[in-house]
Amino acid sequence: MDAEHVEELLPGHAAGTLTRGEDEHVAAHLTGCGRCRAQAAQWRAIAAGTAALATAVGDPSQDLLARVLARLPAADADRAGAVTCSLPTAQAARTRPSGPPAASARARPTVGPVPVPVPVRPGRPRSVTPAGSASPRGLWQLVVRQVPLVGSGLWLAAPLVLAAGTGTALAAILSGEPGASALAALVLSLCAPAVAAVGVALVYGPETDPGLELALSTPTPPRLVLLARLALVVGYDLGLALLANALVAAVDPTLSFWPLVSLWLGPMAVLSAGSLLLSLVAGPTAAIAVALTVWSIQLLAFGPARDAGVVRALADIWELALTGPGAGLAAAGLAAAALWLAPRREPA
Amino acid sequence: MMTTMAGPGGDTRPATGEDDRLLARVAGGDRAALTALYERHHRPLFGYLATLLGDRSAAEEALQDTMLAVWNGAGRFEGRSRVSTWLFGIARRQALTRLRRRRPEAVDDGWLAAVADPRPGPEEQAVAHLEGERVAAAVARLSPVHREVLVLAFWQGLTQPELVEVLGVPVGTVKSRLSNARKALLRIMAEVG
């Protein structure tokens, strides 16, 4: 979008919800910009049409308040009792539409099919307190219920990539050629961080993941949902990488388990944390692109330009930031920033 | 025949101080306060729910459950947002519970973003002159997620931070959702002719 235009402010301008300064800025811009003026007129028409639709809905049944009040004694009893835990269920969030709504040109709110009557349980609004899910059992349930919510592609892609990497590494070792161990270690150190960074980028994506948005709309604190998914995906990728690591170390007697782990653990942590932060700020696609770009820096050391000064400098930065003790700090800082950015919600 | 509101939003928003007092009384178990809170907010809440759910009876059930959740959860209101914003957040959860059971058409914002060209085309220029009723009919045909953001922004007059809070998505998503709602609306109107 052209920065000179005020398109993003036009809905607020039509709704009358801008600050005075913003409103004046928009008004001044509109006097000289036909394009924004045309769009502003559209927004005014949309505002009027939306208000007309919502107004046409009318009032609810007159006895609705009485029905609410009639349910209060039971609700009051609930209030004193234990609060039930209603974490998002995979089945609910994954349910797909049974068909398109019955489109209606009439400006009445009967745009969808008549829903299946919802059984009304007396006085039991589904609610959960953060304390309800903060128990070890509640947290475990939360993590487990994220499993089907995370895209199935993610569960399949990680083992496939790591299996391919491990296979390549093992083939190199078994070939017995000089430098085979170094190549095996390199392949592993390339695969593990990339798999984790891509997986984590897809942890948060309300635009592409209706399941998550529904999960975030539950009373479970959004940060907790995000953390549960993060723990699940990182734990999964970490477990797979450790398994691959163990296999390679077992087959090659010159490679030890922990030194091998140290090659990929730092980059995995930093790239994953950075990827999560970027996915929150700029979306999953940008996060994956940036993470893989940073990840690919290490490949330059094997390319034709490996002796160039800039490549060496980049390799040094990579070493400094993504391996060793600095990596832990960098990953923790990036992850903390990501959690701070996670959507907040008023508990109800 | 529908009427078009001259000033969307503003006149449906009661003063906040009284809401805070009423909610505090509700937290103490005062039924009269719940009744008063209902009287002050049931129209905007019902309009929102019915527009989002596209169904009156489902909206009434959602409104009932919303008021019961208010009764049970009033003590947890911390005053960090307006009472009305908090109410819409609760109502939204009730609506989504119902939408989950009959999952609405999946909306692909990415696809929608590509639907309309950003330059005003002939149909975009035409929409500016359309009457409210025709636009309203098109709004009714939008996906729930787009109807919702339009109703909250234009009927309820929620500010951008309030939309972020009620919808629980980043500000960039609020902006793109509004923009995509407009594009989807233009598409529907172009199809209808």
Side-chain angles (χ1 to χ4, degrees), chain A residues 216-237:
Chain A
L216 290 177
S217 72
T218 66
T220 307
R223 281 195 186 88
L224 203 56
V225 175
L226 191 58
L227 261 179
R229 289 187 149 213
L230 198 59
L232 192 69
V233 172
V234 170
Y236 180 68
D237 291 336

PDB file of all heavy atoms in Angstrom, chain A residues 216-237:
ATOM      1  N   LEU A 216      -7.873 -20.122  20.924  1.00  0.00           N
ATOM      2  CA  LEU A 216      -7.553 -18.875  21.612  1.00  0.00           C
ATOM      3  C   LEU A 216      -8.806 -18.170  22.116  1.00  0.00           C
ATOM      4  O   LEU A 216      -8.728 -17.306  22.966  1.00  0.00           O
ATOM      5  CB  LEU A 216      -6.774 -17.939  20.676  1.00  0.00           C
ATOM      6  CG  LEU A 216      -5.347 -18.388  20.341  1.00  0.00           C
ATOM      7  CD1 LEU A 216      -4.728 -17.412  19.356  1.00  0.00           C
ATOM      8  CD2 LEU A 216      -4.495 -18.471  21.589  1.00  0.00           C
ATOM      9  N   SER A 217      -9.945 -18.530  21.569  1.00  0.00           N
ATOM     10  CA  SER A 217     -11.171 -17.856  21.983  1.00  0.00           C
ATOM     11  C   SER A 217     -11.745 -18.494  23.241  1.00  0.00           C
ATOM     12  O   SER A 217     -12.720 -18.014  23.777  1.00  0.00           O
ATOM     13  CB  SER A 217     -12.206 -17.909  20.859  1.00  0.00           C
ATOM     14  OG  SER A 217     -12.690 -19.222  20.739  1.00  0.00           O
ATOM     15  N   THR A 218     -11.177 -19.566  23.695  1.00  0.00           N
ATOM     16  CA  THR A 218     -11.659 -20.184  24.924  1.00  0.00           C
ATOM     17  C   THR A 218     -11.083 -19.416  26.107  1.00  0.00           C
ATOM     18  O   THR A 218     -10.149 -18.630  25.950  1.00  0.00           O
ATOM     19  CB  THR A 218     -11.203 -21.644  25.014  1.00  0.00           C
ATOM     20  OG1 THR A 218      -9.785 -21.648  25.142  1.00  0.00           O
ATOM     21  CG2 THR A 218     -11.614 -22.433  23.796  1.00  0.00           C
ATOM     22  N   PRO A 219     -11.645 -19.654  27.283  1.00  0.00           N
ATOM     23  CA  PRO A 219     -11.141 -18.920  28.441  1.00  0.00           C
ATOM     24  C   PRO A 219      -9.719 -19.302  28.844  1.00  0.00           C
ATOM     25  O   PRO A 219      -9.139 -18.690  29.701  1.00  0.00           O
ATOM     26  CB  PRO A 219     -12.128 -19.296  29.549  1.00  0.00           C
ATOM     27  CG  PRO A 219     -13.352 -19.754  28.836  1.00  0.00           C
ATOM     28  CD  PRO A 219     -12.852 -20.417  27.590  1.00  0.00           C
ATOM     29  N   THR A 220      -9.166 -20.358  28.256  1.00  0.00           N
ATOM     30  CA  THR A 220      -7.777 -20.699  28.557  1.00  0.00           C
ATOM     31  C   THR A 220      -6.893 -19.550  28.075  1.00  0.00           C
ATOM     32  O   THR A 220      -7.031 -19.109  26.944  1.00  0.00           O
ATOM     33  CB  THR A 220      -7.369 -21.986  27.816  1.00  0.00           C
ATOM     34  OG1 THR A 220      -8.325 -22.987  28.128  1.00  0.00           O
ATOM     35  CG2 THR A 220      -5.989 -22.436  28.241  1.00  0.00           C
ATOM     36  N   PRO A 221      -6.003 -19.051  28.935  1.00  0.00           N
ATOM     37  CA  PRO A 221      -5.186 -17.911  28.519  1.00  0.00           C
ATOM     38  C   PRO A 221      -4.448 -18.217  27.214  1.00  0.00           C
ATOM     39  O   PRO A 221      -3.840 -19.283  27.074  1.00  0.00           O
ATOM     40  CB  PRO A 221      -4.200 -17.749  29.685  1.00  0.00           C
ATOM     41  CG  PRO A 221      -4.891 -18.347  30.846  1.00  0.00           C
ATOM     42  CD  PRO A 221      -5.729 -19.467  30.300  1.00  0.00           C
ATOM     43  N   PRO A 222      -4.502 -17.293  26.247  1.00  0.00           N
ATOM     44  CA  PRO A 222      -3.873 -17.526  24.951  1.00  0.00           C
ATOM     45  C   PRO A 222      -2.395 -17.880  25.058  1.00  0.00           C
ATOM     46  O   PRO A 222      -1.888 -18.690  24.304  1.00  0.00           O
ATOM     47  CB  PRO A 222      -4.062 -16.197  24.225  1.00  0.00           C
ATOM     48  CG  PRO A 222      -5.255 -15.587  24.863  1.00  0.00           C
ATOM     49  CD  PRO A 222      -5.236 -16.024  26.286  1.00  0.00           C
ATOM     50  N   ARG A 223      -1.700 -17.254  26.028  1.00  0.00           N
ATOM     51  CA  ARG A 223      -0.269 -17.553  26.164  1.00  0.00           C
ATOM     52  C   ARG A 223      -0.060 -19.019  26.531  1.00  0.00           C
ATOM     53  O   ARG A 223       0.892 -19.645  26.117  1.00  0.00           O
ATOM     54  CB  ARG A 223       0.356 -16.675  27.240  1.00  0.00           C
ATOM     55  CG  ARG A 223       0.649 -15.281  26.779  1.00  0.00           C
ATOM     56  CD  ARG A 223       1.598 -14.599  27.758  1.00  0.00           C
ATOM     57  NE  ARG A 223       1.764 -13.210  27.398  1.00  0.00           N
ATOM     58  CZ  ARG A 223       0.980 -12.241  27.824  1.00  0.00           C
ATOM     59  NH1 ARG A 223      -0.013 -12.525  28.609  1.00  0.00           N
ATOM     60  NH2 ARG A 223       1.183 -11.004  27.452  1.00  0.00           N
ATOM     61  N   LEU A 224      -0.985 -19.520  27.339  1.00  0.00           N
ATOM     62  CA  LEU A 224      -0.869 -20.918  27.772  1.00  0.00           C
ATOM     63  C   LEU A 224      -1.073 -21.848  26.575  1.00  0.00           C
ATOM     64  O   LEU A 224      -0.373 -22.851  26.417  1.00  0.00           O
ATOM     65  CB  LEU A 224      -1.924 -21.187  28.856  1.00  0.00           C
ATOM     66  CG  LEU A 224      -1.643 -22.344  29.812  1.00  0.00           C
ATOM     67  CD1 LEU A 224      -0.294 -22.169  30.498  1.00  0.00           C
ATOM     68  CD2 LEU A 224      -2.753 -22.448  30.847  1.00  0.00           C
ATOM     69  N   VAL A 225      -2.049 -21.489  25.726  1.00  0.00           N
ATOM     70  CA  VAL A 225      -2.294 -22.294  24.522  1.00  0.00           C
ATOM     71  C   VAL A 225      -1.060 -22.266  23.628  1.00  0.00           C
ATOM     72  O   VAL A 225      -0.602 -23.295  23.119  1.00  0.00           O
ATOM     73  CB  VAL A 225      -3.527 -21.751  23.756  1.00  0.00           C
ATOM     74  CG1 VAL A 225      -3.702 -22.501  22.447  1.00  0.00           C
ATOM     75  CG2 VAL A 225      -4.773 -21.875  24.614  1.00  0.00           C
ATOM     76  N   LEU A 226      -0.516 -21.063  23.468  1.00  0.00           N
ATOM     77  CA  LEU A 226       0.672 -20.903  22.618  1.00  0.00           C
ATOM     78  C   LEU A 226       1.837 -21.706  23.192  1.00  0.00           C
ATOM     79  O   LEU A 226       2.558 -22.408  22.460  1.00  0.00           O
ATOM     80  CB  LEU A 226       1.022 -19.415  22.535  1.00  0.00           C
ATOM     81  CG  LEU A 226       2.062 -19.015  21.497  1.00  0.00           C
ATOM     82  CD1 LEU A 226       1.622 -19.433  20.122  1.00  0.00           C
ATOM     83  CD2 LEU A 226       2.280 -17.514  21.532  1.00  0.00           C
ATOM     84  N   LEU A 227       2.015 -21.604  24.512  1.00  0.00           N
ATOM     85  CA  LEU A 227       3.108 -22.331  25.161  1.00  0.00           C
ATOM     86  C   LEU A 227       2.924 -23.841  25.004  1.00  0.00           C
ATOM     87  O   LEU A 227       3.887 -24.566  24.761  1.00  0.00           O
ATOM     88  CB  LEU A 227       3.139 -21.986  26.649  1.00  0.00           C
ATOM     89  CG  LEU A 227       4.149 -20.934  27.077  1.00  0.00           C
ATOM     90  CD1 LEU A 227       4.042 -20.673  28.570  1.00  0.00           C
ATOM     91  CD2 LEU A 227       5.569 -21.371  26.737  1.00  0.00           C
ATOM     92  N   ALA A 228       1.679 -24.299  25.134  1.00  0.00           N
ATOM     93  CA  ALA A 228       1.410 -25.731  25.024  1.00  0.00           C
ATOM     94  C   ALA A 228       1.780 -26.227  23.634  1.00  0.00           C
ATOM     95  O   ALA A 228       2.409 -27.271  23.467  1.00  0.00           O
ATOM     96  CB  ALA A 228      -0.058 -26.004  25.317  1.00  0.00           C
ATOM     97  N   ARG A 229       1.387 -25.437  22.629  1.00  0.00           N
ATOM     98  CA  ARG A 229       1.703 -25.835  21.259  1.00  0.00           C
ATOM     99  C   ARG A 229       3.208 -25.806  21.009  1.00  0.00           C
ATOM    100  O   ARG A 229       3.766 -26.670  20.347  1.00  0.00           O
ATOM    101  CB  ARG A 229       1.037 -24.873  20.275  1.00  0.00           C
ATOM    102  CG  ARG A 229      -0.429 -25.042  20.224  1.00  0.00           C
ATOM    103  CD  ARG A 229      -0.993 -24.198  19.120  1.00  0.00           C
ATOM    104  NE  ARG A 229      -2.164 -24.876  18.604  1.00  0.00           N
ATOM    105  CZ  ARG A 229      -2.559 -24.837  17.355  1.00  0.00           C
ATOM    106  NH1 ARG A 229      -1.895 -24.144  16.483  1.00  0.00           N
ATOM    107  NH2 ARG A 229      -3.626 -25.483  16.979  1.00  0.00           N
ATOM    108  N   LEU A 230       3.829 -24.775  21.564  1.00  0.00           N
ATOM    109  CA  LEU A 230       5.275 -24.626  21.409  1.00  0.00           C
ATOM    110  C   LEU A 230       5.982 -25.831  22.021  1.00  0.00           C
ATOM    111  O   LEU A 230       6.874 -26.427  21.406  1.00  0.00           O
ATOM    112  CB  LEU A 230       5.696 -23.337  22.111  1.00  0.00           C
ATOM    113  CG  LEU A 230       7.046 -22.759  21.743  1.00  0.00           C
ATOM    114  CD1 LEU A 230       7.096 -22.469  20.263  1.00  0.00           C
ATOM    115  CD2 LEU A 230       7.296 -21.491  22.532  1.00  0.00           C
ATOM    116  N   ALA A 231       5.570 -26.169  23.252  1.00  0.00           N
ATOM    117  CA  ALA A 231       6.194 -27.298  23.949  1.00  0.00           C
ATOM    118  C   ALA A 231       6.016 -28.576  23.134  1.00  0.00           C
ATOM    119  O   ALA A 231       6.936 -29.386  22.999  1.00  0.00           O
ATOM    120  CB  ALA A 231       5.576 -27.451  25.330  1.00  0.00           C
ATOM    121  N   LEU A 232       4.832 -28.706  22.566  1.00  0.00           N
ATOM    122  CA  LEU A 232       4.525 -29.916  21.805  1.00  0.00           C
ATOM    123  C   LEU A 232       5.403 -30.028  20.556  1.00  0.00           C
ATOM    124  O   LEU A 232       6.052 -31.046  20.304  1.00  0.00           O
ATOM    125  CB  LEU A 232       3.051 -29.872  21.405  1.00  0.00           C
ATOM    126  CG  LEU A 232       2.455 -31.142  20.844  1.00  0.00           C
ATOM    127  CD1 LEU A 232       2.365 -32.194  21.924  1.00  0.00           C
ATOM    128  CD2 LEU A 232       1.072 -30.855  20.282  1.00  0.00           C
ATOM    129  N   VAL A 233       5.425 -28.944  19.778  1.00  0.00           N
ATOM    130  CA  VAL A 233       6.158 -28.981  18.505  1.00  0.00           C
ATOM    131  C   VAL A 233       7.662 -29.052  18.744  1.00  0.00           C
ATOM    132  O   VAL A 233       8.374 -29.856  18.131  1.00  0.00           O
ATOM    133  CB  VAL A 233       5.787 -27.754  17.641  1.00  0.00           C
ATOM    134  CG1 VAL A 233       6.670 -27.675  16.411  1.00  0.00           C
ATOM    135  CG2 VAL A 233       4.331 -27.833  17.240  1.00  0.00           C
ATOM    136  N   VAL A 234       8.160 -28.226  19.666  1.00  0.00           N
ATOM    137  CA  VAL A 234       9.601 -28.235  19.950  1.00  0.00           C
ATOM    138  C   VAL A 234       9.996 -29.581  20.547  1.00  0.00           C
ATOM    139  O   VAL A 234      11.021 -30.167  20.175  1.00  0.00           O
ATOM    140  CB  VAL A 234       9.976 -27.075  20.907  1.00  0.00           C
ATOM    141  CG1 VAL A 234      11.405 -27.230  21.400  1.00  0.00           C
ATOM    142  CG2 VAL A 234       9.815 -25.747  20.198  1.00  0.00           C
ATOM    143  N   GLY A 235       9.161 -30.096  21.459  1.00  0.00           N
ATOM    144  CA  GLY A 235       9.455 -31.392  22.071  1.00  0.00           C
ATOM    145  C   GLY A 235       9.505 -32.500  21.029  1.00  0.00           C
ATOM    146  O   GLY A 235      10.390 -33.357  21.058  1.00  0.00           O
ATOM    147  N   TYR A 236       8.575 -32.453  20.107  1.00  0.00           N
ATOM    148  CA  TYR A 236       8.511 -33.456  19.042  1.00  0.00           C
ATOM    149  C   TYR A 236       9.762 -33.394  18.162  1.00  0.00           C
ATOM    150  O   TYR A 236      10.434 -34.406  17.928  1.00  0.00           O
ATOM    151  CB  TYR A 236       7.254 -33.189  18.217  1.00  0.00           C
ATOM    152  CG  TYR A 236       7.020 -34.133  17.060  1.00  0.00           C
ATOM    153  CD1 TYR A 236       6.712 -35.466  17.278  1.00  0.00           C
ATOM    154  CD2 TYR A 236       7.068 -33.679  15.748  1.00  0.00           C
ATOM    155  CE1 TYR A 236       6.462 -36.326  16.210  1.00  0.00           C
ATOM    156  CE2 TYR A 236       6.816 -34.517  14.680  1.00  0.00           C
ATOM    157  CZ  TYR A 236       6.511 -35.847  14.917  1.00  0.00           C
ATOM    158  OH  TYR A 236       6.258 -36.684  13.862  1.00  0.00           O
ATOM    159  N   ASP A 237      10.080 -32.175  17.715  1.00  0.00           N
ATOM    160  CA  ASP A 237      11.247 -32.021  16.840  1.00  0.00           C
ATOM    161  C   ASP A 237      12.540 -32.361  17.581  1.00  0.00           C
ATOM    162  O   ASP A 237      13.448 -32.966  17.011  1.00  0.00           O
ATOM    163  CB  ASP A 237      11.309 -30.585  16.289  1.00  0.00           C
ATOM    164  CG  ASP A 237      10.175 -30.329  15.305  1.00  0.00           C
ATOM    165  OD1 ASP A 237       9.666 -31.312  14.732  1.00  0.00           O
ATOM    166  OD2 ASP A 237       9.806 -29.163  15.112  1.00  0.00           O
TER     167      ASP A 237
END
